[in-house]
Amino acid sequence: MVTRNEILGILGDYRDLAVVTVCSHSSLQLFHGARQEGFRTIGIAVGNKPPKFYDAFPRAKPDEFFLVDSYDEILDRADELVAKNAVAVPHGSFVEYMGAKNFLKLRLPTFGNRRVLSWESDREKQREWLEGAGVDMPKRFRRPSDIDRPVFVKYYGAKGGKGAFIAKTEKEFRAAIKPGQKYTIQEYVVGTRYYVHYFYSPLLEDGYRLSRGSLEMLGIDRRDEANIDEMYKLGAQESLREYGLYPTFVVTGNVPVVLRESLLPTAFEMGERVVEASLDLFGGMVGPFCLETIVTDRLRFKVFEISTRIVAGTNLFISGSPYSDLREAGMSTGRRIAREIRLAQKEDRLGEILS
Ligand code: AMP
């Protein structure tokens, strides 16, 4: 892993910063937000010519493209990005395409604390962190023979719900499980899903204060998932199995939602506890994170996952959200990240938010 001293050394020579990210996921929002805060922007793309679709969005088109033959190449060509005074802003696809191991080795100042990765990517450690923070999670079943209610089975590292399935009995579990892959069995929580977008600033000491820094809520979305969201139109899931149709949870888009207002205090307390625990466990995560929750009819949150960087659901709120507007009109998560970098630069505290 690249060391803190190496990154501080690189930053020592930085002057006119640029924001760089991979051309996917939430890049339009990130480039647009960085530009609003006065940064140059660089888009990393695979291929021998820039992706055409940016031409359709001139206010979100990076100032410059950095073309690579494969995502592995980013690691070897980091020096070129350093020469451009670039700061990487990671998103889910950036880390996924590069691979977590390579991402940890990248010799380029990167927004956020990279140490969070080991806590996020291992489902056991994630549970240790979240439950240790006092956050309620879906019950976990250690053995398939313990299954006594509908359960949700997911594979380690599976992104976008790929391969996940529902089972109601051990027999159903055995029929669907793919051998040789690590999995986790959770109770299937019945309720409504809310993906809450938070932003933790270790720099700001105003608003919703934590022991160090402050917490903001920038928006909430719900994911559209194929084909579970539309399956009901064909009839009961059980009867569809004879046609080889099983529910899948592949994210295809996002819709905006707001929470019942009386749930907001709990949502903030959850975010607060997760940040405080991260400060104790690994020096704290920085910037955007998302608690993926289901609210039951008893108005209780169950958190089934955490994402510790910008999530694609924030793309809904490029011009602000019903929550971020109450702090500053028009603030997207992409712009908020750029604002944090700008603030740290002004206060000579870049070492606290980059790693
Ligand atoms: P994940 O792979 O954890 O992001 O989950 C993918 C999708 O599966 C979520 O967006 C939810 O729709 C659903 N899901 C995950 N965990 C549960 C659970 N414990 N109960 C019900 N649905 C779940």
PDB file of all heavy atoms in Angstrom, residues 123 138 152 154 158 160-161 186-189 193 195 223 225 249 292 294 304-305, ligand 1:
ATOM      1  N   ARG A 123     -17.331  -8.710   4.248  1.00  0.00           N
ATOM      2  CA  ARG A 123     -18.664  -8.587   4.865  1.00  0.00           C
ATOM      3  C   ARG A 123     -18.636  -8.813   6.384  1.00  0.00           C
ATOM      4  O   ARG A 123     -19.435  -8.239   7.111  1.00  0.00           O
ATOM      5  CB  ARG A 123     -19.657  -9.532   4.196  1.00  0.00           C
ATOM      6  CG  ARG A 123     -20.033  -9.087   2.775  1.00  0.00           C
ATOM      7  CD  ARG A 123     -21.398  -9.598   2.366  1.00  0.00           C
ATOM      8  NE  ARG A 123     -21.647  -9.409   0.939  1.00  0.00           N
ATOM      9  CZ  ARG A 123     -22.408  -8.423   0.447  1.00  0.00           C
ATOM     10  NH1 ARG A 123     -22.974  -7.558   1.228  1.00  0.00           N
ATOM     11  NH2 ARG A 123     -22.601  -8.342  -0.862  1.00  0.00           N
ATOM     12  N   PRO A 138     -29.649  -6.755   9.361  1.00  0.00           N
ATOM     13  CA  PRO A 138     -30.479  -7.956   9.236  1.00  0.00           C
ATOM     14  C   PRO A 138     -29.781  -9.123   9.934  1.00  0.00           C
ATOM     15  O   PRO A 138     -28.554  -9.237   9.875  1.00  0.00           O
ATOM     16  CB  PRO A 138     -30.533  -8.206   7.721  1.00  0.00           C
ATOM     17  CG  PRO A 138     -30.139  -6.917   7.093  1.00  0.00           C
ATOM     18  CD  PRO A 138     -29.235  -6.220   8.050  1.00  0.00           C
ATOM     19  N   PHE A 152     -32.046 -13.799   2.412  1.00  0.00           N
ATOM     20  CA  PHE A 152     -31.425 -13.191   1.238  1.00  0.00           C
ATOM     21  C   PHE A 152     -29.978 -13.666   1.222  1.00  0.00           C
ATOM     22  O   PHE A 152     -29.271 -13.508   2.212  1.00  0.00           O
ATOM     23  CB  PHE A 152     -31.499 -11.670   1.360  1.00  0.00           C
ATOM     24  CG  PHE A 152     -31.182 -10.968   0.092  1.00  0.00           C
ATOM     25  CD1 PHE A 152     -32.104 -10.926  -0.936  1.00  0.00           C
ATOM     26  CD2 PHE A 152     -29.971 -10.349  -0.091  1.00  0.00           C
ATOM     27  CE1 PHE A 152     -31.815 -10.277  -2.123  1.00  0.00           C
ATOM     28  CE2 PHE A 152     -29.678  -9.702  -1.271  1.00  0.00           C
ATOM     29  CZ  PHE A 152     -30.609  -9.666  -2.291  1.00  0.00           C
ATOM     30  N   LYS A 154     -26.244 -13.521  -0.469  1.00  0.00           N
ATOM     31  CA  LYS A 154     -25.389 -12.750  -1.392  1.00  0.00           C
ATOM     32  C   LYS A 154     -23.965 -13.258  -1.357  1.00  0.00           C
ATOM     33  O   LYS A 154     -23.506 -13.767  -0.340  1.00  0.00           O
ATOM     34  CB  LYS A 154     -25.418 -11.251  -1.097  1.00  0.00           C
ATOM     35  CG  LYS A 154     -25.849 -10.826   0.267  1.00  0.00           C
ATOM     36  CD  LYS A 154     -25.998  -9.320   0.312  1.00  0.00           C
ATOM     37  CE  LYS A 154     -26.907  -8.912   1.452  1.00  0.00           C
ATOM     38  NZ  LYS A 154     -27.101  -7.497   1.586  1.00  0.00           N
ATOM     39  N   ALA A 158     -19.901  -9.228  -4.570  1.00  0.00           N
ATOM     40  CA  ALA A 158     -20.828  -9.080  -5.700  1.00  0.00           C
ATOM     41  C   ALA A 158     -21.337  -7.649  -5.740  1.00  0.00           C
ATOM     42  O   ALA A 158     -21.776  -7.108  -4.737  1.00  0.00           O
ATOM     43  CB  ALA A 158     -21.989 -10.045  -5.552  1.00  0.00           C
ATOM     44  N   GLY A 160     -23.801  -4.605  -7.318  1.00  0.00           N
ATOM     45  CA  GLY A 160     -25.080  -4.409  -7.973  1.00  0.00           C
ATOM     46  C   GLY A 160     -26.021  -5.590  -7.789  1.00  0.00           C
ATOM     47  O   GLY A 160     -26.904  -5.826  -8.602  1.00  0.00           O
ATOM     48  N   GLY A 161     -25.824  -6.343  -6.703  1.00  0.00           N
ATOM     49  CA  GLY A 161     -26.744  -7.426  -6.382  1.00  0.00           C
ATOM     50  C   GLY A 161     -26.630  -8.644  -7.290  1.00  0.00           C
ATOM     51  O   GLY A 161     -27.475  -9.538  -7.255  1.00  0.00           O
ATOM     52  N   GLN A 186     -28.646 -13.696   5.036  1.00  0.00           N
ATOM     53  CA  GLN A 186     -29.297 -12.725   5.928  1.00  0.00           C
ATOM     54  C   GLN A 186     -30.790 -12.967   5.937  1.00  0.00           C
ATOM     55  O   GLN A 186     -31.334 -13.450   4.954  1.00  0.00           O
ATOM     56  CB  GLN A 186     -29.120 -11.292   5.383  1.00  0.00           C
ATOM     57  CG  GLN A 186     -27.738 -10.755   5.457  1.00  0.00           C
ATOM     58  CD  GLN A 186     -27.681  -9.300   4.969  1.00  0.00           C
ATOM     59  OE1 GLN A 186     -28.639  -8.758   4.438  1.00  0.00           O
ATOM     60  NE2 GLN A 186     -26.529  -8.691   5.183  1.00  0.00           N
ATOM     61  N   GLU A 187     -31.439 -12.574   7.022  1.00  0.00           N
ATOM     62  CA  GLU A 187     -32.904 -12.593   7.012  1.00  0.00           C
ATOM     63  C   GLU A 187     -33.363 -11.655   5.891  1.00  0.00           C
ATOM     64  O   GLU A 187     -32.708 -10.629   5.633  1.00  0.00           O
ATOM     65  CB  GLU A 187     -33.450 -12.117   8.358  1.00  0.00           C
ATOM     66  CG  GLU A 187     -33.708 -10.646   8.415  1.00  0.00           C
ATOM     67  CD  GLU A 187     -34.091 -10.091   9.774  1.00  0.00           C
ATOM     68  OE1 GLU A 187     -35.284 -10.089  10.079  1.00  0.00           O
ATOM     69  OE2 GLU A 187     -33.186  -9.657  10.504  1.00  0.00           O
ATOM     70  N   TYR A 188     -34.423 -12.002   5.190  1.00  0.00           N
ATOM     71  CA  TYR A 188     -34.977 -11.098   4.180  1.00  0.00           C
ATOM     72  C   TYR A 188     -35.836 -10.079   4.916  1.00  0.00           C
ATOM     73  O   TYR A 188     -36.841 -10.423   5.533  1.00  0.00           O
ATOM     74  CB  TYR A 188     -35.817 -11.868   3.146  1.00  0.00           C
ATOM     75  CG  TYR A 188     -36.215 -10.967   1.997  1.00  0.00           C
ATOM     76  CD1 TYR A 188     -35.408 -10.835   0.881  1.00  0.00           C
ATOM     77  CD2 TYR A 188     -37.381 -10.205   2.058  1.00  0.00           C
ATOM     78  CE1 TYR A 188     -35.735  -9.970  -0.156  1.00  0.00           C
ATOM     79  CE2 TYR A 188     -37.719  -9.339   1.028  1.00  0.00           C
ATOM     80  CZ  TYR A 188     -36.897  -9.235  -0.074  1.00  0.00           C
ATOM     81  OH  TYR A 188     -37.220  -8.367  -1.088  1.00  0.00           O
ATOM     82  N   VAL A 189     -35.411  -8.818   4.884  1.00  0.00           N
ATOM     83  CA  VAL A 189     -36.127  -7.790   5.618  1.00  0.00           C
ATOM     84  C   VAL A 189     -37.231  -7.228   4.721  1.00  0.00           C
ATOM     85  O   VAL A 189     -36.962  -6.776   3.603  1.00  0.00           O
ATOM     86  CB  VAL A 189     -35.186  -6.644   6.047  1.00  0.00           C
ATOM     87  CG1 VAL A 189     -35.955  -5.596   6.841  1.00  0.00           C
ATOM     88  CG2 VAL A 189     -34.021  -7.191   6.854  1.00  0.00           C
ATOM     89  N   ARG A 193     -36.979   0.434   0.977  1.00  0.00           N
ATOM     90  CA  ARG A 193     -35.530   0.678   0.920  1.00  0.00           C
ATOM     91  C   ARG A 193     -35.223   2.166   0.785  1.00  0.00           C
ATOM     92  O   ARG A 193     -35.866   2.857   0.000  1.00  0.00           O
ATOM     93  CB  ARG A 193     -34.933  -0.079  -0.276  1.00  0.00           C
ATOM     94  CG  ARG A 193     -34.932  -1.587  -0.111  1.00  0.00           C
ATOM     95  CD  ARG A 193     -34.544  -2.298  -1.382  1.00  0.00           C
ATOM     96  NE  ARG A 193     -35.515  -2.068  -2.451  1.00  0.00           N
ATOM     97  CZ  ARG A 193     -35.223  -1.594  -3.650  1.00  0.00           C
ATOM     98  NH1 ARG A 193     -33.983  -1.300  -3.963  1.00  0.00           N
ATOM     99  NH2 ARG A 193     -36.167  -1.410  -4.548  1.00  0.00           N
ATOM    100  N   TYR A 195     -31.643   4.589   0.481  1.00  0.00           N
ATOM    101  CA  TYR A 195     -30.179   4.638   0.367  1.00  0.00           C
ATOM    102  C   TYR A 195     -29.780   6.071   0.712  1.00  0.00           C
ATOM    103  O   TYR A 195     -29.984   6.991  -0.087  1.00  0.00           O
ATOM    104  CB  TYR A 195     -29.751   4.258  -1.062  1.00  0.00           C
ATOM    105  CG  TYR A 195     -30.183   2.852  -1.437  1.00  0.00           C
ATOM    106  CD1 TYR A 195     -31.512   2.563  -1.717  1.00  0.00           C
ATOM    107  CD2 TYR A 195     -29.268   1.809  -1.494  1.00  0.00           C
ATOM    108  CE1 TYR A 195     -31.922   1.278  -2.041  1.00  0.00           C
ATOM    109  CE2 TYR A 195     -29.667   0.516  -1.823  1.00  0.00           C
ATOM    110  CZ  TYR A 195     -31.003   0.262  -2.091  1.00  0.00           C
ATOM    111  OH  TYR A 195     -31.403  -1.014  -2.411  1.00  0.00           O
ATOM    112  N   ARG A 223     -32.966   2.335  -5.394  1.00  0.00           N
ATOM    113  CA  ARG A 223     -32.454   1.764  -6.638  1.00  0.00           C
ATOM    114  C   ARG A 223     -33.547   1.004  -7.381  1.00  0.00           C
ATOM    115  O   ARG A 223     -34.360   0.331  -6.751  1.00  0.00           O
ATOM    116  CB  ARG A 223     -31.288   0.820  -6.333  1.00  0.00           C
ATOM    117  CG  ARG A 223     -30.143   1.595  -5.748  1.00  0.00           C
ATOM    118  CD  ARG A 223     -28.959   0.741  -5.433  1.00  0.00           C
ATOM    119  NE  ARG A 223     -27.965   1.601  -4.781  1.00  0.00           N
ATOM    120  CZ  ARG A 223     -26.931   1.160  -4.084  1.00  0.00           C
ATOM    121  NH1 ARG A 223     -26.731  -0.139  -3.963  1.00  0.00           N
ATOM    122  NH2 ARG A 223     -26.098   1.996  -3.529  1.00  0.00           N
ATOM    123  N   GLU A 225     -34.187  -2.107  -9.518  1.00  0.00           N
ATOM    124  CA  GLU A 225     -33.460  -3.365  -9.645  1.00  0.00           C
ATOM    125  C   GLU A 225     -34.203  -4.317 -10.579  1.00  0.00           C
ATOM    126  O   GLU A 225     -35.385  -4.598 -10.393  1.00  0.00           O
ATOM    127  CB  GLU A 225     -33.271  -4.003  -8.259  1.00  0.00           C
ATOM    128  CG  GLU A 225     -32.368  -3.139  -7.392  1.00  0.00           C
ATOM    129  CD  GLU A 225     -32.237  -3.591  -5.954  1.00  0.00           C
ATOM    130  OE1 GLU A 225     -33.168  -4.239  -5.445  1.00  0.00           O
ATOM    131  OE2 GLU A 225     -31.203  -3.317  -5.345  1.00  0.00           O
ATOM    132  N   PHE A 249     -31.261  -8.897  -8.767  1.00  0.00           N
ATOM    133  CA  PHE A 249     -31.229  -7.594  -8.095  1.00  0.00           C
ATOM    134  C   PHE A 249     -30.194  -6.693  -8.751  1.00  0.00           C
ATOM    135  O   PHE A 249     -29.373  -6.097  -8.091  1.00  0.00           O
ATOM    136  CB  PHE A 249     -30.904  -7.799  -6.612  1.00  0.00           C
ATOM    137  CG  PHE A 249     -31.937  -8.602  -5.892  1.00  0.00           C
ATOM    138  CD1 PHE A 249     -31.960  -9.990  -5.986  1.00  0.00           C
ATOM    139  CD2 PHE A 249     -32.919  -7.988  -5.142  1.00  0.00           C
ATOM    140  CE1 PHE A 249     -32.926 -10.739  -5.341  1.00  0.00           C
ATOM    141  CE2 PHE A 249     -33.891  -8.720  -4.489  1.00  0.00           C
ATOM    142  CZ  PHE A 249     -33.901 -10.108  -4.599  1.00  0.00           C
ATOM    143  N   GLU A 292     -27.201   1.778   3.268  1.00  0.00           N
ATOM    144  CA  GLU A 292     -28.247   1.156   2.470  1.00  0.00           C
ATOM    145  C   GLU A 292     -29.195   0.480   3.449  1.00  0.00           C
ATOM    146  O   GLU A 292     -28.788  -0.431   4.180  1.00  0.00           O
ATOM    147  CB  GLU A 292     -27.609   0.166   1.495  1.00  0.00           C
ATOM    148  CG  GLU A 292     -26.529   0.868   0.677  1.00  0.00           C
ATOM    149  CD  GLU A 292     -25.854  -0.010  -0.354  1.00  0.00           C
ATOM    150  OE1 GLU A 292     -26.296  -1.151  -0.558  1.00  0.00           O
ATOM    151  OE2 GLU A 292     -24.881   0.463  -0.963  1.00  0.00           O
ATOM    152  N   ILE A 294     -33.294  -0.644   5.016  1.00  0.00           N
ATOM    153  CA  ILE A 294     -34.704  -1.000   4.802  1.00  0.00           C
ATOM    154  C   ILE A 294     -35.437  -0.545   6.060  1.00  0.00           C
ATOM    155  O   ILE A 294     -34.992  -0.836   7.178  1.00  0.00           O
ATOM    156  CB  ILE A 294     -34.869  -2.521   4.609  1.00  0.00           C
ATOM    157  CG1 ILE A 294     -34.080  -2.980   3.376  1.00  0.00           C
ATOM    158  CG2 ILE A 294     -36.360  -2.889   4.458  1.00  0.00           C
ATOM    159  CD1 ILE A 294     -34.010  -4.485   3.188  1.00  0.00           C
ATOM    160  N   PHE A 304     -28.327  -2.887   5.587  1.00  0.00           N
ATOM    161  CA  PHE A 304     -27.791  -4.134   5.034  1.00  0.00           C
ATOM    162  C   PHE A 304     -26.440  -3.949   4.379  1.00  0.00           C
ATOM    163  O   PHE A 304     -25.772  -4.919   4.039  1.00  0.00           O
ATOM    164  CB  PHE A 304     -28.784  -4.826   4.085  1.00  0.00           C
ATOM    165  CG  PHE A 304     -29.207  -4.012   2.895  1.00  0.00           C
ATOM    166  CD1 PHE A 304     -28.475  -4.049   1.724  1.00  0.00           C
ATOM    167  CD2 PHE A 304     -30.332  -3.221   2.945  1.00  0.00           C
ATOM    168  CE1 PHE A 304     -28.861  -3.307   0.618  1.00  0.00           C
ATOM    169  CE2 PHE A 304     -30.731  -2.465   1.850  1.00  0.00           C
ATOM    170  CZ  PHE A 304     -29.998  -2.513   0.689  1.00  0.00           C
ATOM    171  N   GLU A 305     -25.982  -2.710   4.228  1.00  0.00           N
ATOM    172  CA  GLU A 305     -24.699  -2.495   3.566  1.00  0.00           C
ATOM    173  C   GLU A 305     -24.262  -1.043   3.746  1.00  0.00           C
ATOM    174  O   GLU A 305     -25.084  -0.158   3.912  1.00  0.00           O
ATOM    175  CB  GLU A 305     -24.870  -2.790   2.067  1.00  0.00           C
ATOM    176  CG  GLU A 305     -23.619  -2.705   1.275  1.00  0.00           C
ATOM    177  CD  GLU A 305     -23.348  -3.974   0.465  1.00  0.00           C
ATOM    178  OE1 GLU A 305     -24.248  -4.823   0.323  1.00  0.00           O
ATOM    179  OE2 GLU A 305     -22.223  -4.095   0.001  1.00  0.00           O
TER     180      GLU A 305
HETATM  181  P1  AMP B   1     -26.479  -5.684  -1.874  1.00  0.00           P
HETATM  182  O1  AMP B   1     -25.743  -6.682  -2.711  1.00  0.00           O
HETATM  183  O2  AMP B   1     -26.242  -5.862  -0.402  1.00  0.00           O
HETATM  184  O3  AMP B   1     -26.235  -4.247  -2.322  1.00  0.00           O
HETATM  185  O4  AMP B   1     -28.038  -5.951  -2.106  1.00  0.00           O
HETATM  186  C1  AMP B   1     -28.634  -5.824  -3.377  1.00  0.00           C
HETATM  187  C2  AMP B   1     -30.132  -5.620  -3.216  1.00  0.00           C
HETATM  188  O5  AMP B   1     -30.711  -6.728  -2.552  1.00  0.00           O
HETATM  189  C3  AMP B   1     -30.537  -4.433  -2.365  1.00  0.00           C
HETATM  190  O6  AMP B   1     -30.575  -3.229  -3.076  1.00  0.00           O
HETATM  191  C4  AMP B   1     -31.908  -4.857  -1.863  1.00  0.00           C
HETATM  192  O7  AMP B   1     -32.905  -4.687  -2.839  1.00  0.00           O
HETATM  193  C5  AMP B   1     -31.744  -6.320  -1.661  1.00  0.00           C
HETATM  194  N1  AMP B   1     -31.366  -6.721  -0.295  1.00  0.00           N
HETATM  195  C6  AMP B   1     -30.114  -6.810   0.207  1.00  0.00           C
HETATM  196  N2  AMP B   1     -30.118  -7.289   1.464  1.00  0.00           N
HETATM  197  C7  AMP B   1     -31.413  -7.514   1.767  1.00  0.00           C
HETATM  198  C8  AMP B   1     -32.075  -8.037   2.933  1.00  0.00           C
HETATM  199  N3  AMP B   1     -31.410  -8.426   4.005  1.00  0.00           N
HETATM  200  N4  AMP B   1     -33.420  -8.125   2.882  1.00  0.00           N
HETATM  201  C9  AMP B   1     -34.108  -7.746   1.780  1.00  0.00           C
HETATM  202  N5  AMP B   1     -33.546  -7.292   0.666  1.00  0.00           N
HETATM  203  C10 AMP B   1     -32.212  -7.159   0.656  1.00  0.00           C
END
